[in-house]
Amino acid sequence: MNRATATQSLSVSFTVGLYGTAFGAASIAAGFSILQTCLLSLLTFSGASQFAVVGVMGAGGSAISGIATASLLGIRNGLYGLRMAPILKVRGLKRVVAAQVTIDESTGVAIGQEDLGIDAMKQGFWLTGFGVYIFWNIFTLMGALGAQAMGNPSAWGLDAAVPAAFLGLVWPRLTGKFERVLAASSILLAIALSPIISAGLPIIATALLAAAFGWKERT
Amino acid sequence: MNALWLGVLGTSVIAFLLKFTGHSIPEKYVSNPRALRINTLIPIALLSALVGVQTLTEKGKWVIDQRLAGVAVALIALSLKAPYFVVVVSAAVTSAVLYRL
């Protein structure tokens, strides 16, 4: 057991887990029940996808557009799985568990341990995966209970906290001008399309922008 | 089953299948650089779009209200490298104060 890896896993797990409060509150504000909110964290277990489905459906979008937006955001977990599989080398039930905890954070910590060897990478993946899972679910329940006690979400600023939470998630990815132009174009396109096509679709439509931006190699 | 349940269960099933598929596909089949590039850009586009829609629209209409001020404060907090918690709370406080005025 590598101590540095364990410490990093735990601190990432706790910090990220805290955001579960924001999700719990957002989900209740969007009209989901406490049970539905907790099931999203237990079963979907992917922050961006969870925020997306409650955000889209809370804004009046259909279940299909909510699921589609959430699923597009979940695609990257599949790619993380692809990256982690040759490191973890697990089968059967263990592979099922590994898949469920394959998210930004577990993959991020694992990749960060590359210099310490493959055992540290595995350790980072499992500790962070389980750690985030535990904290994320505890804090989701707390956020859901808290929001239900609060009443009108606007009076507590939840209507701005949710987009701010998303902005905070996407911010570290806006590393260069290219990413910032893509982000700004996506915002403009989605807002422009909002009065025209049904809720949820304007967001999914920006995946086409991402495809257009990524089509050609940048030099 | 109502729409919210469909959303919860549908999202969960697909989220798991996406993760599990990644763990089960041999690496050699998906190393196309274009697919990799686009896949790193998709979350940026979708999350940004979501921020825009949640800040400036309501039920398909353009609306400018206290949310925009909250998110603007969040943007300032982020550019000052504030911790995530501060970003979210400052947005909430700004928006709540304006709402109650």
Side-chain angles (χ1 to χ4, degrees), chain B residues 26-82:
Chain B
E27 205 174 345
K28 59 182 173 185
Y29 295 120
V30 265
S31 48
N32 170 5
R34 174 172 290 162
L36 291 177
R37 267 198 317 273
I38 292 175
N39 194 65
T40 58
L41 295 177
I42 281 179
I44 296 177
L46 295 183
L47 292 173
S48 306
L50 206 52
V51 172
V53 167
Q54 289 180 341
T55 307
L56 287 165
T57 75
E58 197 166 332
K59 299 195 167 71
K61 292 202 173 79
W62 296 333
V63 175
I64 290 183
D65 58 14
Q66 73 282 352
R67 294 173 297 170
L68 180 60
V71 174
V73 169
L75 194 63
I76 294 168
L78 282 166
S79 56
L80 296 174
K81 297 189 189 342

Side-chain angles (χ1 to χ4, degrees), chain A residues 42-69:
Chain A
L42 288 164
L43 301 176
T44 301
F45 189 54
S46 185
S49 298
Q50 293 177 227
F51 269 113
V53 70
V54 303
V56 168
M57 294 189 69
S62 66
I64 299 299
S65 57
I67 294 169
T69 310

Side-chain angles (χ1 to χ4, degrees), chain A residues 71-175:
Chain A
S71 301
L72 276 170
L73 287 165
I75 290 172
R76 72 174 189 280
N77 290 329
L79 286 197
Y80 293 152
L82 214 58
R83 174 82 177 88
M84 294 315 298
I87 294 160
L88 299 172
K89 292 193 171 53
V90 283
R91 306 175 150 273
L93 186 63
K94 261 190 153 177
R95 185 184 283 178
V96 171
V97 176
Q100 180 65 354
V101 299
T102 300
I103 51 170
D104 293 318
E105 294 80 17
S106 52
T107 309
V109 171
I111 308 260
Q113 313 305 311
E114 207 159 357
D115 294 344
L116 298 174
I118 202 151
D119 284 339
M121 291 178 82
K122 283 185 199 168
Q123 189 195 330
F125 175 85
W126 289 111
L127 277 180
T128 312
F130 285 131
V132 175
Y133 193 81
I134 292 165
F135 288 120
W136 179 255
N137 281 291
I138 291 173
F139 285 111
T140 294
L141 177 62
M142 289 172 59
L145 292 172
Q148 210 173 47
M150 282 196 283
N152 179 1
S154 294
W156 298 91
L158 265 181
D159 53 358
V162 176
F166 267 121
L167 188 62
L169 286 179
V170 75
W171 188 259
R173 293 168 205 273
L174 304 182
T175 44

